[in-house]
Amino acid sequence: MAVRYSVVGVDDVDPEGPSGAVRFLRRAVGATAFGFNWFELAPGASGPEHDETRSKEEPYVARGPF
């Protein structure tokens, strides 16, 4: 079976969500097994609490403190 993959540049995905802070990369590459998004937040920014009890969330910080 041939392995298929997609590549997309973060800057090629339109910003969405509150203040344009989110880029929905899962949709951009057509991923179906799991989701992943790119968030760009200002220092000290915070977002609304959300419930992850039915799924697992793994944050990855590319730059700055977590």
Side-chain angles (χ1 to χ4, degrees), residues 1 6 26 37:
M1 175 184 352
S6 298
R26 175 185 183 168
N37 301 310

Side-chain angles (χ1 to χ4, degrees), residues 46-60:
S46 63
E49 295 264 343
H50 61 282
D51 184 2
E52 290 291 337
T53 56
R54 292 177 21 162
S55 64
K56 185 172 183 179
E57 184 174 272
E58 297 291 336
Y60 172 79

Side-chain angles (χ1 to χ4, degrees), residues 2-3 8 16 18-19 21-22 33 38 47 51-52 56-57 61 66:
V3 176
V8 64
E16 299 182 54
S19 302
V22 185
W38 180 276
D51 184 2
E52 290 291 337
K56 185 172 183 179
E57 184 174 272
V61 178
F66 178 67

Side-chain angles (χ1 to χ4, degrees), residues 10 13-25 37-42 45-48:
V10 170
V13 178
D14 290 332
E16 299 182 54
S19 302
V22 185
R23 295 175 195 255
F24 296 104
L25 301 180
N37 301 310
W38 180 276
F39 288 79
E40 290 193 29
L41 303 172
S46 63

